[in-house]
Amino acid sequence: MTAVPVVIGMRAPSAAALDAAAPASQGLVDTHGRVHRDLRISLTDRCSLRCTYCMPEQGNEWLARTSILSTDEIVEVAQVAASLGIRTFRLTGGEPLLRADIVDVVRRVAAIEGDDGPVEVAMTTNGITLAKHLPDLIDAGLTRLNISIDTVDRQRFADLTRRDRIDDVFEGIAAAAASPLRPLKLNTVAMRGVNDDELPELVAFAMSVGAQLRFIEQMPLDAGHTWDRASMVTREEILEKLGARWELEPVPGRGGAPAEKWRIDGGPHEVGVIASVTAPFCGACDRLRLTADGQLRNCLFSNAEYDLIDSLRGDAASDPAQRAAAIGAMLRSCVHGKLPGHAINDPSFLQPARGMNAIGG
């Protein structure tokens, strides 16, 4: 595989070219036959934590507030995406709960209907203010929830996130556990010399609150570009540590899900591993991403972005039908340009210029 070329801010091609490449009647199908049903929408690049593997403590360059998509713009993109077959919208960041109108965003996106009925709205959060927002989010139509937690040790959490907020995260997890949102998932980035000695304890904690722990291999998405493959905790190492404590049975039927799952001691609890580096799942990927400043991305690790801002705010954007057509064209263009895989394991791979907080998880 070859590395993705740097193509920032691509404009929509002609309608004729796109219709020939991917007719709207086929939905969002790329040239490798993958049908896209999931759009991850970043609501902000800002975060209430400063995790060492994600961003520096100080000196971060945030997106200009004028560049951040408004709720109206997010909903307009989501409506077009749903008309082209997107079924799940995952709200991410940064930290999505930092957005002042987060409940309104959830309510308006959840009200969208595709050909198969209402869409699903999920969210990934660090959980710090979740307990306060959760009742309103559920009432607005939130259906699924992922909460990030990389350690259950207080001092280690403070060292890793540079914030002493673990009690707030525990409170958020407890609120989610008491809610009807299922499956409840906890996300953990496995890091050598940081938390690799407590992987079984993290799984036990997740089981105690009725959640599924999902370990994530550390990926080259840090803002400082300090990722080192040699220090990465691999899928095999994770399974070896867990297998020493429990019997793990593979769960079939993964489909397009990023996590492989294993049943723990016969069930009902399960644990997942997202091995983007050592066991890529690109062949079944059905996801697109929209950054907070209106850039479409067809791969988390791509350097190519497809600019929606002109479609939403340009000279021709005064006509709703023209805007919808331009958004649809750009979505199809983005999907049409998707490569077979992310090429992390290719020597020519270049880490994306944006960090994870600016791309959206």
Side-chain angles (χ1 to χ4, degrees):
M1 282 183 277
T2 58
V4 179
V6 179
V7 188
I8 301 298
M10 296 181 68
R11 293 181 178 273
S14 69
L18 281 166
D19 287 343
S25 60
Q26 295 181 7
L28 296 173
V29 185
D30 68 19
T31 58
H32 308 283
R34 294 170 294 197
V35 182
H36 291 70
R37 300 184 177 90
D38 185 304
L39 178 61
R40 315 255 165 137
I41 302 176
S42 176
L43 301 182
T44 178
D45 62 329
R46 297 172 186 259
C47 188
S48 41
L49 299 178
R50 294 293 182 272
C51 296
T52 56
Y53 61 83
C54 185
M55 65 174 75
E57 183 173 13
Q58 298 178 340
N60 292 284
E61 295 185 7
W62 309 114
L63 295 171
R65 294 194 181 277
T66 54
S67 73
I68 302 296
L69 295 182
S70 69
T71 299
D72 286 345
E73 290 169 335
I74 290 169
V75 171
E76 188 166 14
V77 173
Q79 287 171 332
V80 176
S83 75
L84 293 174
I86 295 295
R87 296 290 171 263
T88 300
F89 295 91
R90 175 169 293 278
L91 306 179
T92 71
E95 171 47 46
L97 294 181
L98 289 180
R99 180 133 176 165
D101 61 348
I102 182 61
V103 174
D104 189 41
V105 173
V106 171
R107 179 175 292 108
R108 293 181 62 187
V109 174
I112 296 171
E113 294 215 13
D115 291 341
D116 298 329
V119 301
E120 183 177 52
V121 181
M123 181 181 294
T124 298
T125 173
N126 62 28
I128 286 181
T129 62
L130 181 61
K132 177 178 69 174
H133 291 292
L134 191 56
D136 290 335
L137 291 171
I138 294 173
D139 182 66
L142 186 69
T143 53
R144 288 194 290 119
L145 191 61
N146 289 22
I147 304 172
S148 300
I149 182 167
D150 296 318
T151 177
V152 291
D153 178 87
R154 178 180 301 278
Q155 186 57 53
R156 182 173 287 179
F157 183 92
D159 292 341
L160 179 61
T161 68
R162 304 185 179 105
R163 302 289 188 272
D164 185 14
R165 303 294 298 274
I166 196 169
D167 286 338
D168 296 316
V169 178
F170 285 153
E171 184 181 5
I173 292 173
S179 80
L181 298 183
R182 291 295 183 278
L184 173 62
K185 299 175 183 178
L186 305 184
N187 293 346
T188 295
V189 177
M191 293 166 281
R192 193 177 309 283
V194 177
N195 64 354
D196 56 331
D197 61 336
E198 63 171 316
L199 304 189
E201 285 69 29
L202 282 155
V203 173
F205 170 72
M207 291 193 294
S208 74
V209 296
Q212 177 193 120
L213 202 291
R214 305 196 318 168
F215 290 107
I216 303 171
E217 286 184 339
Q218 190 171 1
M219 298 176 284
L221 292 168
D222 59 301
H225 290 207
T226 61
W227 179 80
D228 179 11
R229 179 185 296 272
S231 67
M232 184 186 70
V233 180
T234 67
R235 166 187 180 274
E236 293 305 316
E237 291 178 90
I238 294 168
L239 293 176
E240 182 180 358
K241 288 178 181 292
L242 301 183
R245 180 161 173 177
W246 297 290
E247 180 179 343
L248 302 178
E249 175 189 356
V251 176
R254 177 181 181 182
E260 294 177 89
K261 293 191 293 185
W262 284 264
R263 194 170 290 112
I264 300 173
D265 284 347
H269 298 293
E270 296 176 346
V271 63
V273 179
I274 299 175
S276 299
V277 179
T278 65
F281 42 91
C282 303
C285 180
D286 65 352
R287 288 168 297 285
L288 299 172
R289 286 175 167 80
L290 176 63
T291 67
D293 58 344
Q295 305 299 309
L296 282 170
R297 300 174 63 93
N298 56 29
C299 177
L300 185 59
F301 303 100
S302 176
N303 273 303
E305 295 185 341
Y306 297 73
D307 187 8
L308 278 178
I309 292 298
D310 191 56
S311 301
L312 292 163
R313 302 178 183 176
D315 293 338
S318 59
D319 182 274
Q322 287 186 350
R323 285 201 308 272
I327 293 166
M330 190 61 80
L331 282 162
R332 294 196 297 276
S333 179
C334 181
V335 169
H336 184 68
K338 190 167 184 172
L339 296 181
H342 55 49
I344 286 179
N345 297 307
D346 190 287
S348 61
F349 173 76
L350 296 175
Q351 181 172 336
R354 292 187 191 241
M356 185 68 167
N357 67 299
I359 295 173

